[in-house]
Amino acid sequence: MLRLNESEPNNTETTKAFIENNWSKALMLAGAAGMVGAAVWLTARYLRFSKKRTEIEDRNLRLVENEVELGSDETSVILETGTYLGDISGEEGRKALIDLAKNMDDEQAIEALKTLREVLNVTKKK
């Protein structure tokens, strides 16, 4: 059964506006997981709100967000949570990372998104 996320952005909200509304929250929630954790969290959130999701898809993406919030360091978040994000999002996740990076102003954030994309690319090859 498909459902609409209660806070799904409307059609006029751009990726740039999404980033502006969520990046500082991602950094705060990522805590010890740092910039890479924030990139993982932001990507999962972006995927959740980018279109209608099944309950299972939404739950899996929420799990990624929660794992980042509980993560203790960048390495475990990128290897474990980033890999899981790649497993559940596939090509859509890689496209989301490209879209987010193109619209991000923060150079460190862009590098973190690129790093995450590399993790997703490795996951794809498995």
Side-chain angles (χ1 to χ4, degrees):
M1 173 178 148
L2 288 177
R3 68 180 186 81
L4 184 63
N5 287 322
E6 58 277 355
S7 56
E8 183 174 353
N10 61 39
N11 292 335
T12 62
E13 185 174 8
T14 65
T15 301
K16 193 150 192 80
F18 178 86
I19 291 168
E20 289 172 6
N21 291 333
N22 290 281
W23 183 241
S24 60
K25 183 176 182 178
L27 287 170
M28 180 188 70
L29 291 172
M35 190 73 68
V36 170
V40 173
W41 186 92
L42 186 72
T43 304
R45 176 66 54 110
Y46 183 74
L47 289 168
R48 276 187 54 224
F49 294 138
S50 64
K51 69 175 192 177
K52 292 180 184 179
R53 300 274 170 199
T54 65
E55 189 173 328
I56 292 171
E57 290 171 329
D58 188 66
R59 190 176 318 127
N60 287 337
L61 291 168
R62 280 182 193 260
L63 178 63
V64 170
E65 292 174 29
N66 292 339
E67 287 293 321
V68 169
E69 293 172 32
L70 297 172
S72 58
D73 61 71
E74 285 189 1
T75 303
S76 65
V77 167
I78 195 72
L79 292 176
E80 296 172 17
T81 311
T83 300
Y84 180 65
L85 178 62
D87 289 344
I88 64 173
S89 68
E91 188 61 31
E92 184 182 12
R94 286 181 279 286
K95 288 179 182 177
L97 286 164
I98 292 168
D99 195 28
L100 289 168
K102 284 191 316 190
N103 288 283
M104 182 66 75
D105 294 329
D106 184 327
E107 287 300 319
Q108 288 182 315
I110 293 169
E111 285 304 312
L113 290 163
K114 287 179 181 179
T115 300
L116 180 56
R117 194 170 91 216
E118 290 302 315
V119 169
L120 268 61
N121 285 336
V122 168
T123 303
K124 178 182 177 180
K125 294 175 185 175
K126 285 184 177 181

